[in-house]
Amino acid sequence: MRFTKLAVGVVAAATALTMSACTSGTTSAPSAGGKTTIVWNMWAGDTDAEQKLRDQMAVAQKLVGDDITIELQTAPWADYFTKLNANMASGNVACVTAMNGQRLSGYTDAFVELTDADLAAMGTSRDKYSAGALAPMEVDGKLYNLPYDTASMLLFYNADLFQKAGVDLPTNDWTIDDFQKAAEQITAKTDAKGFAVSVDEFQWLSLPMAKSGLQAVNESGALDLTNPAFVEAASWYGDLASKLKVSDAVPSASDSGWTATQFETGKAAMIVEGTWMVGSLTAADLGFSASAVRLPSGSKGAYGVTLGSGYGIAKTCANKDAALKVLGALTGAEAQAVVAAQSDLPARTDSQQAFYDSLPEANRESMTSAFTSSFEGATGQRVTDKWTQVAEAMPNNLVSVYTGQMTMSDALTDLQSRFGG
Amino acid sequence: MSVAATARRRKRVNPLQRAERRQAIGFISPALLGLAVFTVLPVGLAIVMSVYDWPIFGEREFIGLGNYAELLSKSPDFWPSLRNSFLFALGYVPLNLVISLGLALMLSARIRGRAIFRVLFFIPVVTPMVANAMVWRLMLQPAGPLNGISEAMFGITLPNFLVDKNWAMISIIVMSVWAGMGYNMLIFTAALEQVPASVIEAAELDGAHGFTMLWRIVLPMISPSVFFASVMTIISALQVFTQPQLLTNGGPGTSTVPLVMFIYNTGFKFHDLGLAAAAAWLLFAIIISLTAVQFRAQSRWVHYEH
């Protein structure tokens, strides 16, 4: 009996100890000698990506001085938000936390609002950013993050496959019809497919959006996947794989990297990807000549959205002043120059030229015009509170559309009924 | 001496025993501490969470059995995921038990190189499930070797296994059986080695051979191991997560989302920890009830005599 009581006592004591430990989580730790450590949480899929971040961090570390130590913590993109959720549940969000524009609406509770005074304290201001770059970082007119890049979607193409099929190379004035004809010709005349469809949110949404001139979320902020014009455009996109066969079907809903791999291995002549992929998708070592143009336009003209990612300060951060310093350094001109050299388009206008200058000379001119035309008149992307759920559920329905086992209309109606309410 | 007096005397503990008990507590306290921190606390917290509207951040609100009611009546994905878990278990458990028992029986005969075969069949158990699933994903793709061989040799294009609504679950079951059969095979092998040769000889003298020998003699003799394997396999089947997560991401649609993936998505992707905790408790209730039923039913077919 006594033995049992003792055992229960040990268990209870340990439980109490852990519970008290749970509530005392801290996100910035003052260490010996008055130094503060600020944790910077960011996604990175491999050692190359992490090294790029370390290069940015080295610049930022010099700027903030010795009193603050920046500590980088990373997780791959696919796990980043799950890890962030777990950190939030335990009240342990890193002081400086990366956020993606499409996901921000679900995470505003985790970040402090950045006021103009905060921006001034960091030595920056809104007018330092290129048009549309701040929009993905705002929800209901409040700024929660400072962007490190600004992005849009492009049509990447394999010039060798175009030449092989005897098809003229894409231009920034291409229409959806031009795109479809080229995809069909390349599929017919080469071993490769003309296009590779995708299951990722803007990688697949971009062409239906360009064709219909509509977003998946309407101007009043409601999910609008069943808008007849959007359904028609999306059905056309699904048919590229299921009926026209100018693309293979995505082999698994869990294979989100499939589309880029199809392009990189020369199995697909065109894909839609983000501007942030320009480094790897036009790399010299791909074995073929690759470039990119603006998304083809639909009957209502060109239509694209600006996307982007940035860093914010956690509400639970114990040392906001130090975090502001780090945030200012990580998004400042010096770090942005490093971002530019790493083939990502910086959000600050004054750093963007460095990015264009860093492009390989062979296609610098064409890429620069692709970028500038993509951002011309681009609208801010719209999302709903449940956008993360929508984006998570999309691939599972899309894979069935591409194999022809489900109509696009049914797939979108299902998503609308689950997440539209 | 009366019975009561005997009981009193038995209860009296001498100083030596008391000292030993104190030492025992000292020895098991690390294990108890681990139990408390990693089992009792999370389980207790999960009970509390399941009766709260508990978002990942923000205000928490007590809602009683609201989460359970939502799961059972409103949540569009709960029932399909429960159905998927049972579908998986229905396919996986019998296949796993039959194949692993078959392998164990084949390798119990004194054939050359049986140790090598045992190791080969056991390898998938020790390789990480993530690695197994990735290899199978590559293999089952239309551009993978399976379809390549079929097209080259027979001119037949195989279905797109991981996104076909009829094949996705079957693919997951087949992959899981391949990955898990080695474990049960090892248990059955050990049990078969324990069957006394004298019993088999006696049965042979009585005219038992082949299927009769297996059904009437061998299976009853190893029934405690079969019982253990079936209990553990059903539990692991209802907890399946990694294979569908990596092979199909639960697709196409929600046709391969098992209950554990529903719990994971609800809690860590969609931020509703309360609802996820309630679903976890329902899963726990289902597993514990099924296990209890199996334990009750064991008296009908499990023989511990030998």
Side-chain angles (χ1 to χ4, degrees):
Chain A
M1 190 60 89
R2 200 125 163 255
F3 180 83
T4 320
K5 272 185 190 165
L6 256 172
V8 170
V10 171
V11 170
T15 307
L17 191 73
T18 324
M19 283 199 124
S20 61
C22 276
T23 54
S24 65
T26 174
T27 54
S28 80
S31 49
K35 280 189 175 183
T36 306
T37 299
I38 294 290
V39 177
W40 170 34
N41 202 353
M42 171 61 176
W43 52 82
D46 49 39
T47 42
D48 274 359
E50 187 157 331
Q51 188 52 48
K52 286 181 175 179
L53 297 178
R54 292 204 176 278
D55 293 344
Q56 295 169 30
M57 190 170 76
V59 173
Q61 183 64 66
K62 267 189 198 162
L63 289 170
V64 296
D66 291 340
D67 289 346
I68 300 171
T69 308
I70 310 173
E71 186 189 315
L72 175 65
Q73 287 179 1
T74 64
W77 166 261
D79 305 321
Y80 178 81
F81 291 92
T82 312
K83 191 184 166 203
L84 180 59
N85 292 342
N87 286 348
M88 281 175 167
S90 60
N92 246 330
V93 184
C95 266
V96 177
T97 290
M99 183 45 59
N100 167 258
Q102 294 102 277
R103 300 278 188 278
L104 177 62
S105 66
Y107 289 92
T108 49
D109 282 352
F111 292 104
V112 295
E113 186 193 340
L114 296 173
T115 61
D116 287 347
D118 290 333
L119 264 58
M122 288 185 274
T124 187
S125 57
R126 285 173 168 265
D127 57 12
K128 293 252 193 312
Y129 290 90
S130 67
L134 288 179
M137 306 283 106
E138 287 177 323
V139 176
D140 297 332
K142 290 178 182 171
L143 183 70
Y144 290 96
N145 298 81
L146 269 191
Y148 62 83
D149 74 352
T150 183
S152 187
M153 304 305 287
L154 295 174
L155 182 73
F156 287 87
Y157 64 90
N158 177 331
D160 292 9
L161 283 173
F162 272 78
Q163 273 155 9
K164 205 171 166 189
V167 180
D168 288 342
L169 293 179
T171 65
N172 292 321
D173 303 321
W174 247 25
T175 63
I176 292 279
D177 288 342
D178 295 330
F179 160 78
Q180 186 178 323
K181 268 184 217 150
E184 285 170 335
Q185 283 178 315
I186 293 169
T187 307
K189 292 180 183 170
T190 67
D191 294 338
K193 291 285 185 184
F195 183 62
V197 291
S198 174
V199 291
D200 289 335
E201 43 189 314
F202 282 93
Q203 282 80 346
W204 92 265
L205 280 170
S206 288
L207 282 184
M209 277 162 49
K211 188 172 162 65
S212 64
L214 294 167
Q215 291 198 34
V217 175
N218 64 24
E219 284 177 16
S220 50
L223 193 66
D224 197 18
L225 290 168
T226 44
N227 183 317
F230 186 79
V231 172
E232 192 197 332
S235 300
W236 162 81
Y237 182 82
D239 287 349
L240 292 173
S242 63
K243 293 199 179 133
L244 296 170
K245 307 277 182 196
V246 297
S247 163
D248 281 324
V250 182
S252 162
S254 65
D255 203 351
S256 61
W258 179 82
T259 308
T261 310
Q262 290 296 99
F263 183 78
E264 286 166 341
T265 53
K267 289 178 185 158
M270 292 182 279
I271 59 164
V272 172
E273 251 302 346
T275 47
W276 61 90
M277 290 287 279
V278 70
S280 53
L281 293 182
T282 61
D285 60 1
L286 280 177
F288 56 84
S289 158
S291 189
V293 288
R294 174 162 81 172
L295 292 176
S297 29
S299 54
K300 292 178 185 166
Y303 191 88
V305 289
T306 45
L307 307 165
S309 297
Y311 310 123
I313 294 174
K315 256 186 194 161
T316 49
C317 182
N319 195 338
K320 191 185 166 191
D321 289 342
L324 272 176
K325 272 188 189 165
V326 173
L327 179 60
L330 282 172
T331 55
E334 289 86 346
Q336 287 272 278
V338 182
V339 170
Q342 293 170 348
S343 302
D344 196 4
L345 183 63
R348 282 173 68 110
T349 319
D350 57 5
S351 307
Q352 289 186 339
Q353 192 54 45
F355 164 78
Y356 294 121
D357 292 343
S358 75
L359 291 169
E361 208 175 336
N363 54 11
R364 184 181 301 158
E365 202 178 320
S366 62
M367 291 302 295
T368 304
S369 77
F371 268 74
T372 44
S373 63
S374 288
F375 284 106
E376 260 169 35
T379 355
Q381 43 102 24
R382 293 190 291 266
V383 293
T384 65
D385 287 351
K386 286 188 178 170
W387 185 256
T388 310
Q389 278 107 309
V390 180
E392 292 285 349
M394 273 174 183
N396 289 12
N397 283 6
L398 287 171
V399 288
S400 297
V401 173
Y402 299 149
T403 53
Q405 288 195 328
M406 191 181 206
T407 65
M408 183 60 95
S409 174
D410 286 349
L412 295 176
T413 307
D414 174 58
L415 292 169
Q416 180 73 32
S417 67
R418 283 162 71 192
F419 307 112
Chain B
M1 200 184 293
S2 72
V3 177
T6 318
R8 266 202 305 278
R9 177 176 292 181
R10 274 196 194 142
K11 269 196 154 182
R12 200 178 299 150
V13 180
N14 67 37
L16 185 66
Q17 279 174 317
R18 218 174 294 146
E20 276 183 347
R21 283 186 180 184
R22 271 201 296 273
Q23 286 163 356
I25 283 290
F27 282 120
I28 64 164
S29 55
L32 275 181
L33 202 73
L35 183 76
V37 173
F38 297 111
T39 307
V40 178
L41 177 75
V43 167
L45 197 61
I47 298 177
V48 175
M49 285 168 108
S50 75
V51 291
Y52 273 82
D53 175 15
W54 191 302
I56 267 189
F57 38 82
E59 290 295 305
R60 292 152 193 175
E61 189 192 343
F62 180 76
I63 52 166
L65 296 177
N67 283 325
Y68 294 93
E70 185 178 341
L71 281 178
L72 299 175
S73 62
K74 274 195 252 163
S75 169
D77 295 334
F78 176 74
W79 287 109
S81 63
L82 189 63
R83 180 203 63 202
N84 293 336
S85 282
F86 274 100
L87 265 180
F88 175 81
L90 274 176
Y92 173 73
V93 176
L95 260 182
N96 180 317
L97 291 176
V98 167
I99 292 179
S100 54
L101 184 60
L103 285 176
L105 285 168
M106 278 194 279
L107 297 177
S108 68
R110 306 225 165 263
I111 53 169
R112 186 184 289 232
R114 65 178 181 156
I116 294 169
F117 281 113
R118 280 178 187 165
V119 170
L120 282 179
F121 289 124
F122 195 69
I123 282 177
V125 180
V126 287
T127 34
M129 186 59 91
V130 175
N132 289 341
M134 296 307 272
V135 170
W136 275 73
R137 194 170 86 183
L138 289 174
M139 212 163 67
L140 293 173
Q141 286 183 4
L146 220 56
N147 190 38
I149 292 169
S150 170
E151 279 183 344
M153 293 183 70
F154 312 109
I156 301 168
T157 304
L158 296 176
N160 199 341
F161 291 109
L162 300 177
V163 297
D164 189 300
K165 62 183 179 201
N166 302 315
W167 283 97
M169 183 59 93
I170 295 174
S171 307
I172 292 172
I173 291 172
V174 170
M175 185 259 150
S176 305
V177 168
W178 169 85
M181 67 191 182
Y183 182 74
N184 283 344
M185 179 200 73
L186 213 65
I187 291 171
F188 294 143
T189 303
L192 288 169
E193 305 259 323
Q194 297 296 314
V195 176
S198 56
V199 175
I200 303 293
E201 273 171 34
E204 273 173 349
L205 287 175
D206 288 343
H209 293 286
F211 183 73
T212 317
M213 173 74 91
L214 175 69
W215 191 249
R216 303 252 174 199
I217 311 294
V218 177
L219 275 183
M221 294 292 283
I222 64 165
S223 58
S225 298
V226 177
F227 173 69
F228 170 77
S230 58
V231 169
M232 297 309 287
T233 310
I234 287 176
I235 292 174
S236 68
L238 290 174
Q239 290 176 339
V240 67
F241 172 76
T242 317
Q243 300 92 307
Q245 173 79 8
L246 289 167
L247 286 177
T248 64
N249 193 30
T254 52
S255 66
T256 56
V257 175
L259 197 49
V260 178
M261 196 194 282
F262 170 83
I263 294 168
Y264 171 79
N265 288 345
T266 306
F268 289 105
K269 286 190 169 165
F270 307 154
H271 303 182
D272 195 340
L273 293 177
L275 199 64
W281 270 98
L282 287 178
L283 175 64
F284 173 75
I286 291 167
I287 290 179
I288 210 88
S289 317
L290 271 178
T291 310
V293 168
Q294 283 177 286
F295 267 87
R296 294 212 110 194
Q298 68 167 323
S299 59
R300 291 166 186 260
W301 65 278
V302 183
H303 305 277
Y304 287 104
E305 290 88 5
H306 74 281

